Amino acid sequence: MGQTADVSAVVWSAAVSLAAWLWLLLFQGWFWRTDVRLPASREPDERPDLWPDVCVVVPARDEAAVLPASLPSLLAQDYPGRAEIFLVDDGSSDGTGDLARELARRQGGLPLTVASPGEPPAGWTGKLWAVRHGMEAARARDPEYLLLTDADIAHAPDSLRRLVAAARTGGFDLVSQMARLRVESLWERLVVPAFVFFFAQLYPFRRVSRPGSRTAAAAGGCVLLRADAAARARIPDAVRHAVIDDVAVARAVKRSGGRVWLGLADGVDSVRPYPRLGDLWRMVSRSAYAQLRHSPLLLAGTVAGLALVYLVPPAAVAVGAAAGNAPCALLGGAAWLVMTGTYVPMLRYYRQPLWLAPLLPVTAFLYLLMTVDSAVQHRRGRGAAWKGRTYARPEAAADEP
């Protein structure tokens, strides 16, 4: 009797999971589609005076290992107008600033200025303090646009001109591309495409770009921002506490009346390697609990949601097969099939084998553990950590307009 009741509970859980996946498939902004790329745009003539001035701000802390693969791509941008790079060396101990100057001296290209802001004051995350310093330096050039990009991001030669053309044609105040992350090691293949898949599930790109939608997000590795929109939204001061700074910036822009576009990238790639599971674990766990606003209630809901949506389907298949319960196995299998189908486009975007798609529950279980670990680290007083700094303050205040 007890075993029958247990199987019945699994059957009902599988039915709810299937309903959840059907809802996600049809009503969550088509999050699983990967065709949201830079919108069609009209480029002006090659005359420099027809292109707006752009300043590129690159916060960098201990990035000597990746700069040789990323900075030359910025220096070599084929941009008809005036563009200049401001790399802000955020207290590096590995010679990041000196290496940047040497790379610029050897290659030439866009002008490069290297500056250092010193240690961030209380209430600021280090990266945003570096961004603020770079934006202050750029203000003297009076640019129309700012490109905020990370030190590990390599850009195709036409990246900047395509971003500017898309922003101008579409009338967007913020245009952001989700850089294609590296997928070479076994753990990168298993975890990285799922990271972007989960992000798109939380922030469907089509909703982000829809006028009137409250959904706002950006990908911090590549954000083109109108300078006047930044001033209107008080960026970066309004989001100075943020650990998840890209989402906070997009929210601030939208709340101030700006238009935001977010999509997947072609020609914007992260060169940062994550060869081991521990590297990826730290990437996710450093900010997962901050994403949940440091709320135990949201944490519990997230864990329950991940379990119901991602773990119940394969569990129902196994229980149904073991107990000879066809409805249990069929409901779990149907939910698992829909899950697998929604993941296939992301694997194709990352040029990965499709046999990884049915393994998404395994990856989701890893993310569940990473999220719990993020909360445990916060409870121990370590907070969100990055590049040797720990940020214990909740970032809810960062979302204030």
Side-chain angles (χ1 to χ4, degrees):
M1 185 73 175
Q3 184 177 5
T4 302
D6 290 341
V7 174
S8 297
V10 177
V11 170
W12 279 106
S13 298
V16 173
S17 182
L18 176 58
W21 271 111
L22 292 174
W23 184 88
L24 288 168
L25 175 69
L26 299 174
F27 302 111
Q28 185 59 5
W30 304 98
F31 77 94
W32 45 272
R33 294 184 57 170
T34 56
D35 57 349
V36 182
R37 312 295 175 87
L38 273 181
S41 58
R42 298 183 305 273
E43 291 194 3
D45 294 335
E46 293 292 319
R47 284 171 43 197
D49 60 304
L50 297 179
W51 288 81
D53 293 350
V54 181
C55 286
V56 182
V57 177
V58 185
R61 179 175 172 85
D62 292 333
E63 298 286 18
V66 297
L67 274 188
S70 60
L71 184 57
S73 72
L74 283 175
L75 295 167
Q77 282 300 297
D78 176 23
Y79 185 68
R82 189 177 72 174
E84 185 172 352
I85 303 169
F86 293 86
L87 186 141
V88 185
D89 183 5
D90 180 20
S92 298
S93 59
D94 65 351
T96 289
D98 292 336
L99 176 58
R101 294 184 186 94
E102 176 62 19
L103 290 169
R105 185 191 66 79
R106 280 188 291 172
Q107 175 168 322
L110 297 185
L112 172 73
T113 299
V114 178
S116 180
E119 284 298 308
W124 283 82
T125 62
K127 179 181 176 181
L128 284 169
W129 180 244
V131 168
R132 185 181 192 274
H133 193 82
M135 290 176 64
E136 285 291 326
R139 185 174 298 170
R141 309 297 195 269
D142 193 26
E144 185 173 338
Y145 289 96
L146 297 159
L147 174 60
L148 311 180
T149 186
D150 288 343
D152 65 317
I153 303 299
H155 292 257
D158 63 346
S159 176
L160 182 56
R161 66 188 296 160
R162 292 181 66 225
L163 284 164
V164 170
R168 285 195 132 189
T169 302
F172 297 108
D173 296 283
L174 184 153
V175 172
S176 178
Q177 289 185 286
M178 174 74 74
R180 199 188 301 256
L181 305 176
R182 201 187 89 141
V183 281
E184 295 182 11
S185 72
L186 173 63
W187 288 113
E188 287 170 338
R189 293 172 185 272
L190 184 65
V191 174
V192 165
F195 176 83
V196 182
F197 179 82
F198 295 148
F199 185 92
Q201 195 175 74
L202 285 172
Y203 306 103
F205 296 162
R206 281 176 170 78
R207 286 187 184 171
V208 170
S209 308
R210 185 187 307 156
S213 169
R214 297 182 61 185
T215 304
C222 179
V223 176
L224 185 77
L225 179 62
R226 285 186 63 93
D228 57 357
R232 186 171 61 246
R234 299 191 299 111
I235 294 171
D237 296 61
V239 297
R240 61 189 179 276
H241 307 291
V243 174
I244 309 172
D245 52 272
D246 41 15
V247 174
V249 166
R251 284 174 179 165
V253 170
K254 257 200 173 179
R255 286 173 177 172
S256 65
R259 292 190 60 198
V260 174
W261 184 92
L262 171 64
L264 294 171
D266 289 311
V268 179
D269 303 290
S270 173
V271 298
R272 190 183 305 283
Y274 294 98
R276 297 173 296 274
L277 177 59
D279 303 316
L280 290 158
W281 194 289
R282 284 187 291 274
M283 179 189 76
V284 176
S285 65
R286 74 180 181 88
S287 59
Y289 198 41
Q291 178 72 52
L292 300 176
R293 304 175 190 172
H294 302 98
S295 166
L297 186 62
L298 287 177
L299 174 66
T302 298
V303 169
L306 283 170
L308 176 66
V309 174
Y310 289 98
L311 305 186
V312 163
V317 171
V319 170
N325 189 307
C328 184
L330 288 174
L331 287 168
W336 198 355
L337 183 62
V338 177
M339 179 199 317
T340 299
T342 60
Y343 192 38
V344 165
M346 188 61 69
L347 289 174
R348 285 179 173 160
Y349 171 73
Y350 271 97
R351 306 181 186 96
Q352 296 304 302
L354 298 188
W355 59 261
L356 288 169
L359 299 182
L360 186 57
V362 176
T363 308
F365 181 62
L366 289 175
Y367 273 87
L368 186 154
L369 295 178
M370 294 173 191
T371 302
V372 172
D373 181 59
S374 179
V376 170
Q377 297 302 321
H378 179 79
R379 294 285 293 179
R380 291 176 178 174
R382 297 177 186 177
W386 183 240
K387 296 288 184 180
R389 288 197 181 104
T390 300
Y391 308 113
R393 179 171 180 169
E395 71 165 2
D399 296 334
E400 297 172 1

